[in-house]
Amino acid sequence: MNQKGNLMTSTVLKMVIAVICIAFLVYFLSALYYSKINSQKSIEARSSLDQVRLGIINMEQNSVAEFEIFDPSPVGWMVFGFVSPELKPNSCSGENCLCICKKSAGFLGNNLDKQLGACVEKGACEIIGNLQDFVEFEIDSSGGAFSGIRLKSVGENLEVEKI
């Protein structure tokens, strides 16, 4: 009878260890997957901001008032403008800047402190000295069409809005 108890204890212990190993493997693979996805979205955000920079140059050279960028990347991320004097990413060197980054989990209303941290960690920012304050918006793909970014020159300032 005692041998059956030892055999059952050994089997239960092996099962518990197997479940722990499988759970760790699932966690590791999902972390690896989401790391790759976020890395790809950071590259897409940088590409979108490069298009914004080229759009601004195009507007200045051709004296046009508007420029539209239709780029499907990175869907689900937000476009933010940091123009307040006290709240700007370090990469912007104290200048006004446009950032594309993932929306932070604790972001409510105008609490940009947490969002600033998210943009610094995994987002992409571009210095735009004459950027005018705007309401942040999400890059989405509603109805199969991707939203874009419209740049508008209003006097000396540059407005950014969702298309």
Side-chain angles (χ1 to χ4, degrees):
M1 205 62 160
N2 194 13
Q3 288 179 340
K4 288 183 181 180
N6 285 341
L7 183 61
M8 187 171 149
T9 304
S10 172
T11 304
V12 168
L13 183 61
K14 288 178 184 177
M15 289 176 60
V16 167
I17 290 173
V19 167
I20 290 171
C21 288
I22 289 171
F24 178 73
L25 183 62
V26 167
Y27 171 77
F28 176 73
L29 291 176
S30 64
L32 189 64
Y33 171 75
Y34 285 111
S35 171
K36 180 170 175 35
I37 293 295
N38 284 335
S39 173
Q40 181 63 31
K41 286 198 173 197
S42 293
I43 292 169
E44 292 171 353
R46 172 54 32 212
S47 172
S48 295
L49 286 176
D50 287 344
Q51 289 184 38
V52 167
R53 185 174 38 80
L54 292 173
I56 293 169
I57 292 169
N58 184 30
M59 288 171 63
E60 290 171 354
Q61 288 177 347
N62 298 321
S63 300
V64 293
E66 284 188 23
F67 188 81
E68 295 179 350
I69 301 166
F70 292 100
D71 190 350
S73 57
V75 173
W77 280 27
M78 302 286 289
V79 178
F80 291 95
F82 292 97
V83 297
S84 69
E86 66 274 352
L87 198 65
K88 294 181 181 167
N90 292 339
S91 62
C92 294
S93 305
E95 298 285 327
N96 294 344
C97 66
L98 182 69
C99 295
I100 299 177
C101 49
K102 187 175 183 178
K103 185 175 182 178
S104 77
F107 182 71
L108 296 172
N110 285 335
N111 184 6
L112 290 177
D113 292 332
K114 291 182 181 179
Q115 188 58 52
L116 179 64
C119 287
V120 167
E121 280 183 34
K122 296 181 182 175
C125 296
E126 181 73 32
I127 296 174
I128 300 176
N130 59 344
L131 181 67
Q132 197 170 32
D133 197 13
F134 65 92
V135 177
E136 65 276 345
F137 57 89
E138 182 177 358
I139 300 171
D140 62 1
S141 60
S142 57
F146 292 104
S147 64
I149 300 171
R150 177 180 291 130
L151 306 172
K152 273 205 248 184
S153 180
V154 180
E156 294 290 315
N157 294 328
L158 182 72
E159 287 183 355
V160 176
E161 58 187 29
K162 180 179 180 176
I163 300 175

